[in-house]
Protein backbone atom coordinates (compact mmCIF):
# COMPACT_ATOMS: atom_id res chain seq x y z
CA UNK A 1 0.00 0.00 0.00
CA UNK A 2 2.83 2.40 0.80
CA UNK A 3 4.44 1.65 -2.58
CA UNK A 4 1.14 2.24 -4.38
CA UNK A 5 0.92 5.67 -2.77
CA UNK A 6 4.56 6.61 -3.40
CA UNK A 7 4.59 5.77 -7.14
CA UNK A 8 1.61 8.02 -8.11
CA UNK A 9 3.10 10.80 -5.96
CA UNK A 10 6.46 10.55 -7.72
CA UNK A 11 4.77 10.35 -11.12
CA UNK A 12 2.72 13.43 -10.32
CA UNK A 13 5.82 15.33 -9.20
CA UNK A 14 7.77 14.33 -12.32
CA UNK A 15 4.83 15.30 -14.55
CA UNK A 16 4.51 18.67 -12.82
CA UNK A 17 8.25 19.33 -13.19
CA UNK A 18 8.13 18.37 -16.87
CA UNK A 19 5.15 20.64 -17.57
CA UNK A 20 6.73 23.50 -15.63
CA UNK A 21 9.97 23.09 -17.54
CA UNK A 22 8.06 22.94 -20.84
CA UNK A 23 5.85 26.00 -20.36
CA UNK A 24 7.74 28.12 -17.82
CA UNK A 25 11.26 28.08 -19.23
CA UNK A 26 12.52 29.23 -22.61
CA UNK A 27 12.59 26.26 -24.95
CA UNK A 28 12.88 25.71 -28.70
CA UNK A 29 10.74 22.56 -28.58
CA UNK A 30 7.58 24.22 -29.88
CA UNK A 31 9.56 26.11 -32.52
CA UNK A 32 10.97 22.81 -33.80
CA UNK A 33 7.50 21.25 -33.71
CA UNK A 34 6.09 24.25 -35.57
CA UNK A 35 8.72 24.00 -38.32
CA UNK A 36 8.34 20.21 -38.53
CA UNK A 37 4.57 20.46 -39.04
CA UNK A 38 5.00 23.07 -41.77
CA UNK A 39 7.67 20.94 -43.45
CA UNK A 40 5.43 17.85 -43.36
CA UNK A 41 2.41 19.67 -44.77
CA UNK A 42 4.33 21.44 -47.53
CA UNK A 43 6.24 18.26 -48.32
CA UNK A 44 2.96 16.46 -48.98
CA UNK A 45 1.57 19.44 -50.87
CA UNK A 46 4.65 19.63 -53.12
CA UNK A 47 5.07 15.88 -53.60
CA UNK A 48 1.47 15.05 -54.55
CA UNK A 49 -1.01 17.95 -54.66
CA UNK A 50 1.16 20.34 -56.69
CA UNK A 51 2.11 17.62 -59.20
CA UNK A 52 -1.46 16.39 -59.68
CA UNK A 53 -2.82 19.92 -59.97
CA UNK A 54 -0.15 20.78 -62.53
CA UNK A 55 -1.22 17.77 -64.61
CA UNK A 56 -4.84 18.96 -64.35
CA UNK A 57 -3.69 22.37 -65.65
CA UNK A 58 -4.44 24.42 -62.54
CA UNK A 59 -3.30 28.05 -62.82
CA UNK A 60 0.33 28.37 -61.75
CA UNK A 61 -0.33 31.43 -59.57
CA UNK A 62 -2.92 29.49 -57.59
CA UNK A 63 -0.45 26.66 -57.00
CA UNK A 64 2.32 29.06 -55.95
CA UNK A 65 0.11 31.09 -53.59
CA UNK A 66 0.74 28.83 -50.54
CA UNK A 67 4.51 29.16 -51.07
CA UNK A 68 4.30 32.96 -51.27
CA UNK A 69 2.25 33.08 -48.08
CA UNK A 70 4.71 30.68 -46.42
CA UNK A 71 7.61 32.99 -47.28
CA UNK A 72 5.81 35.95 -45.70
CA UNK A 73 4.90 33.86 -42.67
CA UNK A 74 8.47 32.69 -42.11
CA UNK A 75 9.68 36.30 -42.39
CA UNK A 76 7.17 37.44 -39.75
CA UNK A 77 8.10 34.46 -37.59
CA UNK A 78 11.79 35.34 -37.63
CA UNK A 79 11.11 39.01 -36.89
CA UNK A 80 8.70 38.17 -34.08
CA UNK A 81 10.92 35.56 -32.43
CA UNK A 82 14.15 37.58 -32.59
CA UNK A 83 12.74 41.04 -31.84
CA UNK A 84 13.00 42.70 -28.44
CA UNK A 85 9.36 42.74 -27.27
CA UNK A 86 9.94 45.92 -25.25
CA UNK A 87 11.98 44.96 -22.23
CA UNK A 88 11.70 47.32 -19.27
CA UNK A 89 15.13 48.10 -17.81
CA UNK A 90 16.46 50.49 -15.21
CA UNK A 91 17.66 52.79 -17.98
CA UNK A 92 14.34 53.11 -19.81
CA UNK A 93 11.79 52.55 -17.01
CA UNK A 94 11.46 56.27 -16.22
CA UNK A 95 10.57 57.12 -19.82
CA UNK A 96 8.24 54.13 -20.32
CA UNK A 97 6.27 55.12 -17.21
CA UNK A 98 5.21 58.27 -19.10
CA UNK A 99 3.89 56.46 -22.19
CA UNK A 100 0.59 55.16 -20.75
CA UNK A 101 -1.49 56.51 -17.90
CA UNK A 102 -2.39 54.24 -14.98
CA UNK A 103 -6.04 53.21 -14.95
CA UNK A 104 -6.00 52.69 -11.17
CA UNK A 105 -7.64 49.29 -11.55
CA UNK A 106 -5.43 46.87 -13.46
CA UNK A 107 -2.36 49.08 -13.21
CA UNK A 108 -1.32 51.05 -10.13
CA UNK A 109 1.24 53.83 -9.98
CA UNK A 110 4.33 53.30 -7.85
CA UNK A 111 4.46 49.49 -7.95
CA UNK A 112 7.95 48.02 -8.21
CA UNK A 113 8.69 44.65 -9.78
CA UNK A 114 10.23 42.53 -6.99
CA UNK A 115 12.37 40.63 -9.50
CA UNK A 116 13.60 43.42 -11.80
CA UNK A 117 13.51 46.08 -9.03
CA UNK A 118 12.19 48.73 -11.45
CA UNK A 119 8.96 50.73 -11.36
CA UNK A 120 6.34 48.96 -13.43
CA UNK A 121 4.96 51.11 -16.29
CA UNK A 122 1.24 50.91 -16.99
CA UNK A 123 0.30 47.92 -19.19
CA UNK A 124 3.56 46.12 -18.37
CA UNK A 125 3.99 42.73 -16.73
CA UNK A 126 6.85 40.58 -15.53
CA UNK A 127 7.25 37.43 -17.65
CA UNK A 128 8.32 34.49 -15.53
CA UNK A 129 9.58 32.67 -18.63
CA UNK A 130 11.81 35.43 -20.02
CA UNK A 131 12.46 36.75 -16.49
CA UNK A 132 12.01 40.37 -17.57
CA UNK A 133 9.32 43.02 -17.42
CA UNK A 134 7.75 43.67 -20.83
CA UNK A 135 6.18 46.97 -21.89
CA UNK A 136 2.55 46.58 -23.08
CA UNK A 137 2.80 42.88 -22.28
CA UNK A 138 0.38 40.70 -24.24
CA UNK A 139 1.50 37.13 -23.56
CA UNK A 140 4.44 34.78 -23.85
CA UNK A 141 4.14 32.72 -27.04
CA UNK A 142 5.82 29.32 -26.93
CA UNK A 143 5.48 28.94 -30.71
CA UNK A 144 7.84 31.87 -31.35
CA UNK A 145 9.76 31.36 -28.10
CA UNK A 146 9.41 35.02 -27.18
CA UNK A 147 7.19 37.48 -25.38
CA UNK A 148 4.68 39.56 -27.34
CA UNK A 149 4.91 43.19 -26.28
CA UNK A 150 4.85 46.74 -27.57
CA UNK A 151 7.73 46.29 -30.02
CA UNK A 152 6.62 43.10 -31.78
CA UNK A 153 2.81 43.02 -31.38
CA UNK A 154 2.28 44.24 -34.94
CA UNK A 155 4.61 41.62 -36.42
CA UNK A 156 2.91 38.93 -34.33
CA UNK A 157 -0.49 39.96 -35.71
CA UNK A 158 0.90 39.71 -39.26
CA UNK A 159 2.39 36.33 -38.34
CA UNK A 160 -1.03 35.05 -37.25
CA UNK A 161 -2.77 36.43 -40.33
CA UNK A 162 -0.20 34.98 -42.71
CA UNK A 163 -0.25 31.61 -40.95
CA UNK A 164 -4.05 31.45 -41.18
CA UNK A 165 -3.97 32.52 -44.83
CA UNK A 166 -1.33 29.87 -45.58
CA UNK A 167 -3.43 27.10 -44.04
CA UNK A 168 -6.54 28.40 -45.80
CA UNK A 169 -4.77 28.50 -49.18
CA UNK A 170 -3.49 24.94 -48.75
CA UNK A 171 -6.99 23.75 -47.83
CA UNK A 172 -8.58 25.56 -50.78
CA UNK A 173 -6.14 24.22 -53.40
CA UNK A 174 -6.31 20.67 -52.01
CA UNK A 175 -10.12 20.73 -51.83
CA UNK A 176 -10.27 22.06 -55.40
CA UNK A 177 -8.03 19.21 -56.56
CA UNK A 178 -10.14 16.51 -54.88
CA UNK A 179 -13.34 18.07 -56.21
CA UNK A 180 -11.88 18.10 -59.71
CA UNK A 181 -10.95 14.43 -59.37
CA UNK A 182 -14.53 13.56 -58.42
CA UNK A 183 -15.96 15.57 -61.31
CA UNK A 184 -13.64 13.95 -63.84
CA UNK A 185 -14.37 10.43 -62.56
CA UNK A 186 -18.14 11.04 -62.78
CA UNK A 187 -18.50 8.95 -59.63
CA UNK A 188 -20.92 11.43 -58.06
CA UNK A 189 -23.74 10.23 -60.32
CA UNK A 190 -23.07 6.54 -59.77
CA UNK A 191 -24.33 3.93 -57.31
CA UNK A 192 -22.74 1.38 -54.99
CA UNK A 193 -23.68 -1.91 -53.31
CA UNK A 194 -23.68 -2.15 -49.53
CA UNK A 195 -22.73 -5.21 -47.44
CA UNK A 196 -26.22 -6.69 -47.96
CA UNK A 197 -25.99 -6.30 -51.73
CA UNK A 198 -28.47 -3.43 -51.92
CA UNK A 199 -27.84 -0.64 -54.40
CA UNK A 200 -27.62 2.96 -53.14
CA UNK A 201 -26.85 6.29 -54.81
CA UNK A 202 -23.42 7.70 -54.00
CA UNK A 203 -23.51 9.95 -50.93
CA UNK A 204 -20.98 12.15 -49.13
CA UNK A 205 -19.68 9.46 -46.70
CA UNK A 206 -19.03 7.15 -49.66
CA UNK A 207 -17.19 9.93 -51.55
CA UNK A 208 -15.03 10.70 -48.50
CA UNK A 209 -14.23 7.00 -48.06
CA UNK A 210 -13.40 6.67 -51.76
CA UNK A 211 -11.07 9.68 -51.67
CA UNK A 212 -9.40 8.47 -48.48
CA UNK A 213 -8.70 5.06 -50.01
CA UNK A 214 -7.41 6.66 -53.22
CA UNK A 215 -5.44 9.59 -51.73
CA UNK A 216 -5.02 8.78 -48.00
CA UNK A 217 -2.19 11.23 -47.29
CA UNK A 218 -3.85 14.07 -49.18
CA UNK A 219 -7.19 13.60 -47.41
CA UNK A 220 -5.47 13.40 -44.02
CA UNK A 221 -3.52 16.59 -44.81
CA UNK A 222 -6.71 18.34 -45.92
CA UNK A 223 -8.47 17.45 -42.67
CA UNK A 224 -5.50 18.73 -40.66
CA UNK A 225 -5.22 22.07 -42.50
CA UNK A 226 -9.00 22.63 -42.35
CA UNK A 227 -8.91 22.12 -38.58
CA UNK A 228 -5.85 24.36 -38.35
CA UNK A 229 -7.56 27.06 -40.41
CA UNK A 230 -10.60 27.04 -38.13
CA UNK A 231 -8.52 27.19 -34.94
CA UNK A 232 -6.19 29.88 -36.27
CA UNK A 233 -9.13 31.80 -37.73
CA UNK A 234 -10.76 31.96 -34.32
CA UNK A 235 -7.54 33.08 -32.67
CA UNK A 236 -6.94 35.65 -35.42
CA UNK A 237 -10.44 37.06 -34.92
CA UNK A 238 -9.78 37.39 -31.20
CA UNK A 239 -6.38 39.04 -31.80
CA UNK A 240 -7.92 41.50 -34.28
CA UNK A 241 -10.62 42.32 -31.74
CA UNK A 242 -7.94 43.06 -29.13
CA UNK A 243 -5.98 45.19 -31.61
CA UNK A 244 -9.02 47.20 -32.71
CA UNK A 245 -10.06 47.85 -29.11
CA UNK A 246 -6.49 48.52 -27.90
CA UNK A 247 -6.37 45.69 -25.38
CA UNK A 248 -3.78 43.05 -24.64
CA UNK A 249 -4.45 39.42 -23.86
CA UNK A 250 -3.15 40.03 -20.35
CA UNK A 251 -5.57 42.95 -19.84
CA UNK A 252 -8.51 41.06 -21.33
CA UNK A 253 -7.94 38.06 -19.05
CA UNK A 254 -7.54 40.26 -15.96
CA UNK A 255 -10.68 42.27 -16.75
CA UNK A 256 -12.75 39.05 -17.19
CA UNK A 257 -11.99 37.81 -13.71
CA UNK A 258 -11.94 41.23 -12.11
CA UNK A 259 -15.29 40.86 -10.39
CA UNK A 260 -13.74 38.71 -7.66
CA UNK A 261 -10.77 40.99 -7.03
CA UNK A 262 -10.48 42.94 -3.77
CA UNK A 263 -10.76 46.72 -3.66
CA UNK A 264 -7.57 48.54 -4.55
CA UNK A 265 -6.32 51.58 -2.64
CA UNK A 266 -7.32 54.02 -5.38
CA UNK A 267 -10.94 52.81 -5.42
CA UNK A 268 -13.61 53.94 -2.91
CA UNK A 269 -14.61 51.12 -0.59
CA UNK A 270 -18.31 51.96 -0.79
CA UNK A 271 -18.48 51.46 -4.58
CA UNK A 272 -18.14 48.27 -6.63
CA UNK A 273 -14.86 47.99 -8.49
CA UNK A 274 -15.47 48.67 -12.19
CA UNK A 275 -12.97 48.21 -15.00
CA UNK A 276 -13.08 50.43 -18.08
CA UNK A 277 -10.67 50.31 -20.99
CA UNK A 278 -9.18 53.81 -21.06
CA UNK A 279 -6.59 53.05 -23.74
CA UNK A 280 -8.91 52.77 -26.74
CA UNK A 281 -8.64 55.75 -29.12
CA UNK A 282 -10.85 54.54 -31.96
CA UNK A 283 -10.43 51.69 -34.42
CA UNK A 284 -7.89 53.23 -36.79
CA UNK A 285 -5.73 54.84 -34.12
CA UNK A 286 -5.78 51.60 -32.13
CA UNK A 287 -4.64 49.64 -35.17
CA UNK A 288 -1.96 52.21 -35.91
CA UNK A 289 -0.66 51.92 -32.36
CA UNK A 290 -0.08 48.18 -32.82
CA UNK A 291 2.35 48.80 -35.68
CA UNK A 292 3.71 52.12 -34.41
CA UNK A 293 3.86 52.05 -30.60
CA UNK A 294 3.60 55.49 -28.96
CA UNK A 295 6.64 57.13 -27.40
CA UNK A 296 6.92 59.77 -24.71
CA UNK A 297 7.44 62.49 -27.29
CA UNK A 298 4.37 61.45 -29.31
CA UNK A 299 2.24 61.46 -26.21
CA UNK A 300 3.40 64.96 -25.24
CA UNK A 301 2.55 66.24 -28.74
CA UNK A 302 -0.95 64.92 -28.35
Amino acid sequence: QVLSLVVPSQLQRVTHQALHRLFHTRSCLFVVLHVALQAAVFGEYTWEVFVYCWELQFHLLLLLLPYLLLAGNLGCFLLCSRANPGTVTKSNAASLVKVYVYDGVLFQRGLVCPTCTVEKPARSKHCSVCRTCVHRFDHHCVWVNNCIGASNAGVFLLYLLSLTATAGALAAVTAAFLTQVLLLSNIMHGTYLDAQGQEHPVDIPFLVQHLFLTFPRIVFMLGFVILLTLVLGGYCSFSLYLALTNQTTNEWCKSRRFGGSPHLPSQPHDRPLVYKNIYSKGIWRNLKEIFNPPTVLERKKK
Side-chain angles (χ1 to χ4, degrees):
Q1 291 181 350
V2 174
L3 182 61
S4 63
L5 292 175
V6 171
V7 172
S9 176
Q10 291 179 341
L11 181 61
Q12 183 179 6
R13 185 170 62 256
V14 171
T15 303
H16 180 269
Q17 290 176 348
L19 291 175
H20 185 274
R21 188 173 182 180
L22 184 62
F23 291 101
H24 294 277
T25 57
R26 290 183 66 88
S27 172
C28 293
L29 177 62
F30 285 96
V31 175
V32 173
L33 178 61
H34 168 218
V35 174
L37 287 175
Q38 283 191 328
V41 169
F42 271 89
E44 177 60 26
Y45 174 78
T46 304
W47 184 255
E48 292 196 276
V49 177
F50 186 93
V51 175
Y52 287 140
C53 289
W54 181 257
E55 293 177 354
L56 293 174
Q57 298 183 341
F58 276 57
H59 198 285
L60 180 61
L61 183 60
L62 178 64
L63 298 180
L64 292 179
L65 181 60
Y67 296 106
L68 298 176
L69 291 171
L70 175 65
N73 176 251
L74 290 177
C76 292
F77 169 77
L78 291 174
L79 289 174
C80 191
S81 60
R82 299 179 67 88
N84 183 342
T87 304
V88 182
T89 63
K90 293 182 179 180
S91 60
N92 66 8
S95 60
L96 292 179
V97 164
K98 301 175 183 178
V99 175
Y100 292 111
V101 297
Y102 293 85
D103 63 359
V105 181
L106 298 182
F107 307 104
Q108 298 291 311
R109 182 179 296 277
L111 294 181
V112 176
C113 175
T115 303
C116 302
T117 64
V118 295
E119 184 178 359
K120 298 177 67 173
R123 312 191 76 180
S124 69
K125 184 180 183 296
H126 182 84
C127 176
S128 59
V129 180
C130 296
R131 299 178 181 179
T132 58
C133 284
V134 178
H135 184 48
R136 199 185 183 279
F137 176 86
D138 191 275
H139 70 289
H140 180 89
C141 179
V142 294
W143 297 102
V144 301
N145 197 27
N146 198 8
C147 276
I148 308 304
S151 299
N152 62 351
V155 179
F156 180 74
L157 184 60
L158 292 177
Y159 163 74
L160 282 180
L161 292 172
S162 60
L163 188 60
T164 306
T166 303
L170 285 170
V173 174
T174 306
F177 159 68
L178 293 177
T179 301
Q180 187 72 5
V181 168
L182 292 176
L183 292 175
L184 292 175
S185 66
N186 204 30
I187 194 176
M188 299 175 66
H189 304 289
T191 59
Y192 70 96
L193 298 177
D194 61 11
Q196 287 74 35
Q198 296 181 348
E199 188 175 8
H200 299 278
V202 169
D203 52 10
I204 293 179
F206 177 85
L207 292 176
V208 173
Q209 183 180 12
H210 170 73
L211 289 173
F212 187 78
L213 292 175
T214 310
F215 307 102
R217 292 189 299 270
I218 294 179
V219 173
F220 181 80
M221 184 197 76
L222 177 60
F224 174 74
V225 293
I226 287 177
L227 177 62
L228 191 63
T229 303
L230 294 175
V231 173
L232 289 172
Y235 187 40
C236 265
S237 300
F238 174 67
S239 298
L240 279 173
Y241 162 74
L242 293 180
L244 296 176
T245 56
N246 206 331
Q247 298 182 78
T248 65
T249 303
N250 177 53
E251 292 164 2
W252 185 86
C253 292
K254 283 185 175 181
S255 64
R256 295 285 79 79
R257 58 175 185 262
F258 198 72
S261 299
H263 285 277
L264 298 173
S266 61
Q267 296 289 327
H269 289 272
D270 56 345
R271 293 183 181 181
L273 201 58
V274 178
Y275 169 74
K276 180 180 179 181
N277 179 19
I278 65 172
Y279 304 111
S280 181
K281 307 168 186 175
I283 290 178
W284 296 114
R285 291 180 65 183
N286 291 341
L287 194 60
K288 178 183 176 182
E289 184 174 311
I290 294 294
F291 297 96
N292 185 25
T295 63
V296 181
L297 294 178
E298 288 174 344
R299 186 186 162 199
K300 285 183 178 179
K301 289 178 182 178
K302 296 174 184 178

